[in-house]
């Protein structure tokens, strides 16, 4: 619906969280902003918001939110048809996704529906399952998306 209004409210919320040093809230707002950007089809903005949230979550050790950000970035990768990246990111957090809230549950559904039949995605999911959260967060935050994540 009203994505412009949502973005404006999220911007105000981010500013307030920053002024109050509520980093947990700032990370949450970035994750919601990722969703709005996805709805707009702005994958670059979605990725920026996801990485911003993930950087805060990793630095402050917000494990649940870290997983949410990784799932969101997996959805961005899937939207870009990067089945390898989407699969590795999703594989690393998929067993814990059920407890990450409704936003993550919706994203998880998208990942499962789209990727279930794609061998490249399924292979990458399996590789991702063997990564620790810190390892997959480093992959998700990597500036060079062409970096090999199959290692």
């Amino acid at each position: 619906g009203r994505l412009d209004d949502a973005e404006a409210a999220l911007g105000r919320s981010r500013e307030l969280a920053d002024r109050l040093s509520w980093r947990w809230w700032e990370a949450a707002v970035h994750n919601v902003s990722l969703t709005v950007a996805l709805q707009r089809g702005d994958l670059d903005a979605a990725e920026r918001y996801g990485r911003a949230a993930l950087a805060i979550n990793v630095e402050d050790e917000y494990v649940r939110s870290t997983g949410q950000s990784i799932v969101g970035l997996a959805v961005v990768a899937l939207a870009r048809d990067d089945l390898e990246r989407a699969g590795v990111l999703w594989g690393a957090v998929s067993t814990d996704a059920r407890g990450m809230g409704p936003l993550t549950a919706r994203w998880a559904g998208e990942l499962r529906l789209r990727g279930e039949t794609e061998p490249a995605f399924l292979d990458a999911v399996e590789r991702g399952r063997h990564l620790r959260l810190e390892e997959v967060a480093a992959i998700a935050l990597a500036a060079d998306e062409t970096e090999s994540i199959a290692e």
Side-chain angles (χ1 to χ4, degrees), residues 88-103:
V88 167
L89 297 179
W90 170 242
V93 296
S94 61
T95 58
D96 298 321
R98 190 168 282 148
M100 291 183 200
L103 177 60

Side-chain angles (χ1 to χ4, degrees), residues 62-84:
Y62 301 136
V63 175
R64 180 179 173 181
S65 293
T66 296
Q68 290 173 334
S69 300
I70 290 170
V71 174
L73 289 167
V75 172
V76 172
L78 190 66
R80 289 186 165 143
D81 291 323
D82 187 346
L83 299 179
E84 172 73 17

Side-chain angles (χ1 to χ4, degrees), residues 96-146:
D96 298 321
R98 190 168 282 148
M100 291 183 200
L103 177 60
T104 306
R106 190 178 84 221
W107 286 341
E110 290 176 30
L111 287 163
R112 280 193 290 271
L113 283 174
R114 169 100 189 277
E116 260 180 11
T117 61
E118 300 288 341
F121 179 80
L122 296 174
D123 291 345
V125 167
E126 191 55 39
R127 283 192 306 285
R129 286 191 177 128
H130 300 286
L131 296 174
R132 293 186 331 270
L133 191 60
E134 301 82 28
E135 293 171 320
V136 75
I139 289 168
L141 288 169
D144 181 6
E145 290 186 35
T146 62

